[in-house]
Amino acid sequence: LPADAELVFATSGGDGTGEVELLVQRILSRQPLYDLAKGTGIEIGPGPRPQIFDDAETSVLYVEETHPEDWARLYDRRGNFEAATSDWSSIRIGKAAALPTPPGSLDFIYSSHVFEHLCNPLGHLAHWYDCLRDGGRVLAVVPVLGSTKDRHMQPCTMAEFIAEYDDGGMEPLPRHYERFAARRADAPHDPAHARDLIERNVSIHVHFYDNANMARLLREAVRRIGYRDYQIVHTPNHKDFHFCLTR
């Protein structure tokens, strides 16, 4: 835009009052994660647009929870991802909590905008730990809650993460759907909306993250599960952050 450009907001209807937010986020380069995704690995939840590809150094299996027709119906109603016409032949249908691989067989597990959809994140990290070889890595891109419609929510707490880990369940609970349904500041408490999400098997944001509560979660994964170390890449005014957790 030119230096003298002006941005003008105009309201239509109502009394002209209300909340206006201008969110301008850059996309953090994922290339450092791609560079680490070498050897034998799995990309979880790629949909019709995977990010890691086979080459001379990499052999990747794609695992998607939803069948193509359901993915298109739930997440691509406008056809922006061309889900209905994409080639899904290389994708296995499966769960992030039950990856189709022998123990100790993977060099990496990659996901982009998947981790926030998982109940019991420590439980998932424990399962992935078992799937990785020594030195293997969990590589993930996670949206910052302030850059999404979750921006009115508070980052989830370690108490919640630990309670889910101790409980052992891996699927979202009704309370997660109820919280997600009411996450916008102007959203009324509507149990019927939450029930509809459950009945349609919509993949919700189960937890809300920023780099601070993610660091606490990863430190707990090192302490409790046995991972060696972790790194987080996060800079201001980016829509997501990255983490690398090493076995």
Side-chain angles (χ1 to χ4, degrees), residues 171-180 194 198 204:
E171 297 295 329
L173 301 170
R175 63 179 176 83
H176 295 125
Y177 286 93
E178 291 167 5
R179 179 169 65 183
F180 180 80
I198 295 172
I204 64 168

Side-chain angles (χ1 to χ4, degrees), residues 31-110:
Q31 191 59 50
L33 292 184
Y34 300 161
D35 292 341
L36 292 173
K38 301 301 180 184
T40 301
I42 284 178
E43 180 177 350
I44 302 173
R49 294 184 178 179
Q51 297 177 31
I52 308 299
F53 301 96
D54 286 342
D55 60 24
E57 299 179 89
T58 305
S59 175
V60 59
L61 173 69
Y62 305 119
V63 176
E64 178 61 62
E65 183 178 48
T66 306
H67 287 274
E69 58 273 16
D70 293 328
W71 202 101
R73 173 178 55 83
L74 289 169
Y75 310 117
D76 196 24
R77 295 179 182 178
R78 298 180 181 178
N80 295 333
F81 294 98
E82 300 179 340
T85 57
S86 296
D87 179 10
W88 293 71
S89 60
S90 61
I91 294 180
R92 293 273 298 275
I93 302 302
K95 294 280 191 177
L99 295 179
T101 189
S105 62
L106 300 178
D107 296 298
F108 70 88
I109 297 169
Y110 176 87

Side-chain angles (χ1 to χ4, degrees), residues 143-164:
V144 180
L145 67 89
S147 70
T148 70
K149 293 180 181 179
D150 305 335
R151 61 187 178 275
H152 298 291
M153 305 301 294
Q154 294 297 312
C156 293
T157 66
M158 278 306 307
E160 182 176 359
F161 297 147
I162 291 172
E164 290 179 4

